[in-house]
Amino acid sequence: MATAAAVDRVQNHTSEAVNRMIHEAMTERLVYFALHPGKIDERLDELDREWDVERALEANASTLALAGLAAGIVADRRWLALPVFVAGFLFQHAVQGWCPPLPLLRRLGFRTQHEIDQERYALKALRGDFQKVEQAMGRLQKTMHEQRV
């Protein structure tokens, strides 16, 4: 299981202004869906397809690495430095939670999986999903109490 530090590492390495922009955009969406609950299912489907910042970094890195490898083989061997730099950036991100493309991706609105999940669970709460859990827990507690008596 991920530690709190691991969950927040991208946010910790993102400017406060960008974090605030991402949070405010989510808050605006939640207000909209609170007023339009019939559209929550559609938004949940969109969230299932949303790329998080880690996936975007991985796709970006693999594209650049493969392009550098191909250019190094076909055009000029100096292009082989590109996959080396990309691998270094990925390692830096794995260790520190930051790498050079991260600020750009965050400004473009890419969110962490944790941020996406926050919106998902808020929408499910708006939809009333957790009331069903509370009702089930109440029935379970009642059954357990009856079995003890």
Side-chain angles (χ1 to χ4, degrees):
M1 177 160 212
T3 64
V7 169
D8 298 332
R9 66 192 186 106
V10 169
Q11 289 174 309
N12 292 340
H13 288 92
T14 300
S15 76
E16 188 57 40
V18 172
N19 281 333
R20 189 172 35 260
M21 174 196 71
I22 289 171
H23 181 75
E24 288 172 359
M26 179 184 70
T27 301
E28 289 174 16
R29 284 190 300 274
L30 291 173
V31 168
Y32 173 82
F33 288 108
L35 297 172
H36 302 91
K39 296 183 178 186
I40 290 176
D41 289 342
E42 182 180 329
R43 179 62 183 154
L44 288 169
D45 289 340
E46 290 172 4
L47 290 175
D48 288 340
R49 294 186 301 273
E50 183 175 338
W51 279 32
D52 65 30
V53 70
E54 301 290 338
R55 186 175 182 188
L57 279 170
E58 291 164 359
N60 177 39
S62 61
T63 300
L64 288 173
L66 289 172
L69 183 61
I73 291 170
V74 174
D76 187 332
R77 292 187 60 162
R78 289 178 282 190
W79 280 104
L80 295 174
L82 183 58
V84 172
F85 284 115
V86 169
F89 290 157
L90 278 179
F91 182 74
Q92 179 181 14
H93 180 68
V95 173
Q96 296 177 339
W98 184 87
C99 64
L102 184 66
L104 173 63
L105 291 173
R106 293 290 283 168
R107 270 189 241 109
L108 290 172
F110 282 94
R111 302 186 291 168
T112 65
Q113 188 61 53
H114 181 70
E115 290 166 330
I116 295 168
D117 288 342
Q118 285 177 319
E119 182 175 345
R120 180 185 328 279
Y121 292 119
L123 289 168
K124 288 182 176 190
L126 286 173
R127 191 172 65 179
D129 290 11
F130 300 115
Q131 292 172 352
K132 297 172 190 172
V133 172
E134 289 174 14
Q135 293 167 356
M137 288 300 293
R139 288 191 303 270
L140 179 60
Q141 289 173 347
K142 182 180 176 187
T143 303
M144 290 174 61
H145 177 71
E146 290 171 353
Q147 287 178 352
R148 285 189 221 142
V149 175

Short mmCIF file of all heavy atoms in Angstrom, two decimals, residues 18 31 38 59 68-69 76 81 89 102 106 143 145:
data_model
loop_
_atom_site.label_atom_id
_atom_site.label_comp_id
_atom_site.label_asym_id
_atom_site.label_seq_id
_atom_site.Cartn_x
_atom_site.Cartn_y
_atom_site.Cartn_z
N VAL A 18 -0.69 25.75 -9.43
CA VAL A 18 -1.18 24.69 -10.31
C VAL A 18 -2.04 23.71 -9.52
O VAL A 18 -3.11 23.29 -9.99
CB VAL A 18 -0.01 23.98 -11.03
CG1 VAL A 18 -0.49 22.76 -11.80
CG2 VAL A 18 0.70 24.95 -11.96
N VAL A 31 -19.69 20.81 -8.17
CA VAL A 31 -20.87 21.67 -8.01
C VAL A 31 -21.82 21.45 -9.18
O VAL A 31 -23.04 21.31 -8.99
CB VAL A 31 -20.45 23.16 -7.90
CG1 VAL A 31 -21.65 24.08 -8.02
CG2 VAL A 31 -19.71 23.40 -6.59
N GLY A 38 -28.14 13.51 -12.79
CA GLY A 38 -28.37 12.55 -13.86
C GLY A 38 -27.17 12.35 -14.78
O GLY A 38 -27.12 11.38 -15.53
N ALA A 59 4.03 7.46 -21.22
CA ALA A 59 3.81 7.49 -22.67
C ALA A 59 4.77 8.48 -23.33
O ALA A 59 5.35 8.18 -24.39
CB ALA A 59 2.35 7.88 -22.97
N GLY A 68 14.33 8.51 -30.18
CA GLY A 68 15.78 8.70 -30.09
C GLY A 68 16.54 7.46 -30.54
O GLY A 68 17.56 7.56 -31.23
N LEU A 69 16.03 6.29 -30.19
CA LEU A 69 16.66 5.04 -30.61
C LEU A 69 16.59 4.89 -32.13
O LEU A 69 17.60 4.59 -32.78
CB LEU A 69 15.98 3.86 -29.93
CG LEU A 69 16.55 2.48 -30.20
CD1 LEU A 69 18.00 2.40 -29.73
CD2 LEU A 69 15.71 1.43 -29.49
N ASP A 76 21.84 9.51 -36.92
CA ASP A 76 23.09 9.91 -36.29
C ASP A 76 23.14 9.30 -34.89
O ASP A 76 22.18 9.39 -34.12
CB ASP A 76 23.13 11.43 -36.20
CG ASP A 76 24.46 11.97 -35.71
OD1 ASP A 76 25.16 11.27 -34.96
OD2 ASP A 76 24.81 13.11 -36.09
N ALA A 81 21.65 9.59 -27.26
CA ALA A 81 21.69 10.27 -25.97
C ALA A 81 20.26 10.55 -25.45
O ALA A 81 20.04 10.60 -24.24
CB ALA A 81 22.47 11.57 -26.07
N PHE A 89 15.48 10.81 -16.49
CA PHE A 89 14.31 11.56 -16.00
C PHE A 89 13.31 10.63 -15.32
O PHE A 89 12.75 10.96 -14.28
CB PHE A 89 13.63 12.33 -17.12
CG PHE A 89 14.42 13.49 -17.66
CD1 PHE A 89 14.17 13.96 -18.93
CD2 PHE A 89 15.41 14.11 -16.90
CE1 PHE A 89 14.88 15.04 -19.44
CE2 PHE A 89 16.13 15.19 -17.40
CZ PHE A 89 15.87 15.65 -18.67
N LEU A 102 7.20 17.18 -15.75
CA LEU A 102 6.09 17.19 -14.79
C LEU A 102 5.38 18.54 -14.67
O LEU A 102 4.14 18.59 -14.75
CB LEU A 102 6.55 16.69 -13.42
CG LEU A 102 5.46 16.56 -12.37
CD1 LEU A 102 4.47 15.48 -12.74
CD2 LEU A 102 6.08 16.27 -11.02
N ARG A 106 1.38 19.00 -15.50
CA ARG A 106 0.45 19.45 -14.46
C ARG A 106 -0.28 20.72 -14.91
O ARG A 106 -1.48 20.84 -14.71
CB ARG A 106 1.20 19.70 -13.15
CG ARG A 106 1.76 18.44 -12.51
CD ARG A 106 0.70 17.55 -11.95
NE ARG A 106 0.24 18.11 -10.67
CZ ARG A 106 -0.83 17.69 -10.04
NH1 ARG A 106 -1.57 16.73 -10.52
NH2 ARG A 106 -1.17 18.24 -8.89
N THR A 143 -27.87 -8.15 12.37
CA THR A 143 -27.77 -9.61 12.27
C THR A 143 -26.78 -10.14 13.29
O THR A 143 -27.04 -11.14 13.96
CB THR A 143 -27.36 -10.02 10.85
OG1 THR A 143 -28.31 -9.49 9.92
CG2 THR A 143 -27.26 -11.51 10.71
N HIS A 145 -25.88 -8.76 16.09
CA HIS A 145 -26.45 -8.58 17.43
C HIS A 145 -27.47 -9.68 17.72
O HIS A 145 -27.50 -10.24 18.82
CB HIS A 145 -27.10 -7.20 17.55
CG HIS A 145 -27.76 -6.97 18.86
ND1 HIS A 145 -27.04 -6.79 20.03
CD2 HIS A 145 -29.07 -6.91 19.21
CE1 HIS A 145 -27.89 -6.65 21.03
NE2 HIS A 145 -29.13 -6.70 20.55
#
